[in-house]
């Protein structure tokens, strides 16, 4: 099983996906803002495509090293969850978000994100 996912190695944000323990995992670091928005959108769409193609039961999204995310980038994740919710139950996968409890924006924003798809998203601190 191979993963078809671009790696983002920018000056502002990095993102890298991998297959680990039967899950698809993607790690974000740096800052998600207007400079990285388009790249973030490409990566999240491809993560969704790959999770469906590989029939992954879970996608791990690691935000522990993501220092900041602006609202336009946050909306990308809301849109991803909306797509996931619209799938039939047998096609859906769960998303586990690994967060950094020391970052205030993550405590507030990720809790709201999990409420958007309460049956599909869990937050791990």
């Amino acid at each position: 099983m191979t993963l078809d996912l671009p790696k983002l190695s920018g000056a502002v944000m990095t993102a890298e996906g991998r297959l680990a323990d039967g899950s698809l995992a993607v790690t974000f670091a740096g800052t998600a803002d207007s400079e990285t928005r388009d790249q973030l959108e490409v990566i999240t769409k491809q993560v969704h495509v790959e999770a469906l193609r590989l029939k992954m039961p879970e996608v791990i999204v690691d935000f522990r090293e993501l220092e900041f995310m602006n609202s336009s980038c946050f909306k990308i994740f809301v849109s991803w969850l909306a797509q996931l919710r619209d799938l039939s139950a047998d096609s859906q996968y769960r998303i586990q978000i690994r967060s950094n409890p020391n970052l205030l924006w993550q405590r507030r924003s990720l809790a709201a994100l999990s409420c958007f798809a309460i049956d599909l998203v869990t937050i791990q601190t």
Side-chain angles (χ1 to χ4, degrees):
M1 185 176 334
T2 60
L3 182 62
D4 182 18
L5 192 63
K7 180 179 178 179
L8 172 61
S9 297
V12 177
M13 185 181 77
T14 63
E16 184 173 5
R18 66 190 182 292
L19 296 174
D21 300 324
S23 295
L24 192 162
V26 61
T27 301
F28 295 91
T31 300
D33 59 14
S34 58
E35 186 177 329
T36 60
R37 186 195 179 289
D38 292 342
Q39 296 164 319
L40 180 63
E41 189 166 32
V42 167
I43 288 170
T44 56
K45 285 181 179 182
Q46 190 62 32
V47 167
H48 179 67
V49 167
E50 286 296 284
L52 294 174
R53 181 180 71 84
L54 298 171
K55 299 183 183 343
M56 288 284 125
E58 180 178 59
V59 172
I60 298 167
V61 178
D62 190 337
F63 283 152
R64 291 177 291 187
E65 298 297 321
L66 190 66
E67 295 293 323
F68 175 75
M69 182 185 304
N70 73 8
S71 60
S72 65
C73 291
F74 192 78
K75 184 180 178 201
I76 292 169
F77 287 93
V78 171
S79 296
W80 178 14
L81 290 178
Q83 284 183 306
L84 185 56
R85 280 190 335 193
D86 289 344
L87 294 173
S88 64
D90 61 324
S91 296
Q92 292 176 338
Y93 51 87
R94 298 192 46 77
I95 296 178
Q96 179 190 126
I97 298 174
R98 295 184 178 166
S99 68
N100 182 338
N102 297 320
L103 297 174
L104 184 59
W105 78 267
Q106 287 191 12
R107 288 196 311 248
R108 282 187 271 178
S109 300
L110 297 180
L113 190 64
S114 70
C115 292
F116 186 73
I118 198 161
D119 296 335
L120 299 172
V121 176
T122 57
I123 308 293
Q124 180 187 46
T125 55

